[in-house]
Amino acid sequence: MPGHPSLAGRSFFLVLSSTGGMGGGGSALRVCADHRGGINWLSLSPDGQRLLTGSEDGTARLWSTADGQCCALLQGHESYVTFCQLEDEAAFTCSADCTIRKWDVLTGQCLQVFRGHTSIVNRILVANNQLFSSSYDRTARAWSVDKGQVSREFRGHRNCVLTLAYCAPWDLPGAPCVEEAVAGGLLVTGSTDGTAKVWQVASGCCHQTLRGHTGAVLCLVLDTPSHTAFTGSTDATIRAWDILSGEQLRVFQEHQGSVICLELANRHVYSGSADRTVKCWLADTGERVRTFAAHRHSVSALKYHAGTLFTGSGDARARAFDAQSGALQRVFRGHAFIINCIQGVQPHSLERPRSPEDKRFLLTKNRDVSSKSC
């Protein structure tokens, strides 16, 4: 793409099997190499039967997880695809061309173009019949999925909006003091300005500004039952916040480098860092309970599944750890560049029945996303 470096050659994703005994390497079941640029993101359909990939080549592709065949080529973006989300009946992609597109998953036809952002659209999220987006133009937006029009603009960050999460109104407490504010749910955004913000979706007003980080907020996850947000930053800390009151609840600080990715599972927070480690913390106290070492570069992706923690790294390896003991179970080799996304595939969505212990994961590779400037 003009003005943006791409990887030479054809990029691919691997379908890797984690079957068999502990130890050893994972085997590549499929290699799909139709994209002509790095793969920035992938998304599985809710039923696990289709996979959507968004690429540096400006296209997205739909694949069958059963046989690895490309089902549809989604063409129309004028620059690289930054992120994608696959739903049952539609696919959504966003791009450095400042637009978001909605696609028919059966025909590959573009159904809607969402225009309004004035810089790279970084992330999108489809929830509660709304589309939320974050952009390098310092705004987040809410769109009507059906009409393709902006319904709310969330303006207040002083720099790029990198990450976002949505909390539906039925997941929030019904206290009279907050009932009106959360009627349409809350949107949480993280920015390179060092803050996270909580927005009232119904009104577009900023509900809380979460201040405390001394570096860019790179990632966030929500624990909706406790209305708590966890944010990771270039200041090497994770912070827990009450999104209703804006109170900082606790600080997790043992990493020696930027916190790049977060995963929340079973009241534990997993954090991947530029210091080449993953750490496991008790979500309710901030106590570190485990460190997962073995990576030779930054940890760029995390996925917890059925007692196993899968990690992706800048060393072009994916790894499987026993989440309880921290023991390294397997190393997956085959990619040539950083792995920046991991998605799980249930066994029944593949070509033949498997035992419950058969866990398979789809991995993408690409260059370090931090090379993009705001």
Side-chain angles (χ1 to χ4, degrees), residues 83-338:
F83 195 83
C84 56
Q85 183 171 337
L86 182 55
E87 298 294 307
D88 283 321
E89 298 179 355
F92 298 85
T93 58
C94 59
S95 169
D97 68 6
C98 310
T99 70
I100 303 157
R101 287 176 180 256
K102 177 182 177 182
W103 311 83
D104 186 296
V105 296
L106 298 179
T107 65
Q109 177 185 1
C110 181
L111 302 175
Q112 189 77 53
V113 181
F114 301 76
R115 303 182 190 276
H117 281 297
T118 58
S119 189
I120 298 170
V121 183
N122 189 57
R123 288 289 185 269
I124 51 175
L125 171 64
V126 180
N128 197 20
N129 201 35
Q130 295 181 93
L131 172 67
F132 300 98
S133 58
S134 64
S135 173
Y136 283 35
D137 67 10
R138 307 183 180 188
T139 73
R141 298 178 190 228
W143 312 74
S144 164
V145 170
D146 298 327
K147 298 179 181 179
Q149 297 175 345
V150 177
S151 56
R152 289 286 182 271
E153 183 176 303
F154 308 99
R155 187 177 293 273
H157 280 297
R158 292 180 287 105
N159 216 325
C160 311
V161 185
L162 295 181
T163 185
L164 74 172
Y166 174 72
C167 192
W170 48 84
D171 290 326
L172 293 163
C177 60
V178 297
E179 189 171 350
E180 184 177 350
V182 304
L186 296 174
L187 182 70
V188 186
T189 56
S191 169
T192 55
D193 66 11
T195 71
K197 286 181 179 288
V198 184
W199 309 87
Q200 299 172 10
V201 173
S203 68
C205 296
C206 182
H207 181 69
Q208 299 289 349
T209 297
L210 311 180
R211 292 186 174 91
H213 283 298
T214 57
V217 176
L218 301 182
C219 51
L220 69 87
V221 291
L222 286 183
D223 178 34
T224 53
S226 65
H227 45 87
T228 302
F230 298 89
T231 54
S233 168
T234 57
D235 67 10
T237 71
I238 303 117
R239 294 169 191 258
W241 314 82
D242 185 309
I243 60 173
L244 296 179
S245 68
E247 178 188 1
Q248 180 176 286
L249 302 175
R250 62 197 68 93
V251 182
F252 307 66
Q253 46 186 353
E254 284 193 28
H255 278 300
Q256 302 302 309
S258 299
V259 179
I260 299 171
C261 49
L262 292 171
E263 179 86 339
L264 180 64
N266 300 328
R267 307 308 307 157
H268 289 81
V269 176
Y270 298 89
S271 55
S273 171
D275 67 11
R276 306 182 182 187
T277 71
V278 175
K279 294 185 184 294
C280 174
W281 317 78
L282 294 178
D284 297 327
T285 66
E287 177 189 354
R288 181 188 58 80
V289 295
R290 199 165 296 110
T291 296
F292 301 81
H295 308 92
R296 299 177 182 176
H297 205 282
S298 301
V299 179
S300 46
L302 294 172
K303 183 71 175 182
Y304 177 92
H305 179 81
T308 301
L309 182 69
F310 292 84
T311 68
S313 173
D315 63 15
R317 303 285 190 268
R319 292 173 172 83
F321 295 87
D322 182 283
Q324 184 70 28
S325 68
L328 178 64
Q329 296 177 323
R330 185 165 286 101
V331 179
F332 300 90
R333 297 176 175 86
H335 287 300
F337 295 90
I338 183 173

Side-chain angles (χ1 to χ4, degrees), residues 22-63:
M22 294 300 106
S27 57
L29 301 177
R30 321 217 200 292
V31 177
C32 303
D34 290 347
H35 279 297
R36 298 182 180 275
I39 297 170
N40 283 332
W41 204 258
L42 58 75
S43 176
L44 276 169
S45 60
D47 61 11
Q49 295 182 9
R50 286 171 297 191
L51 175 74
L52 176 66
T53 54
S55 172
E56 294 278 315
D57 65 14
T59 72
R61 287 177 182 265
L62 280 164
W63 312 81

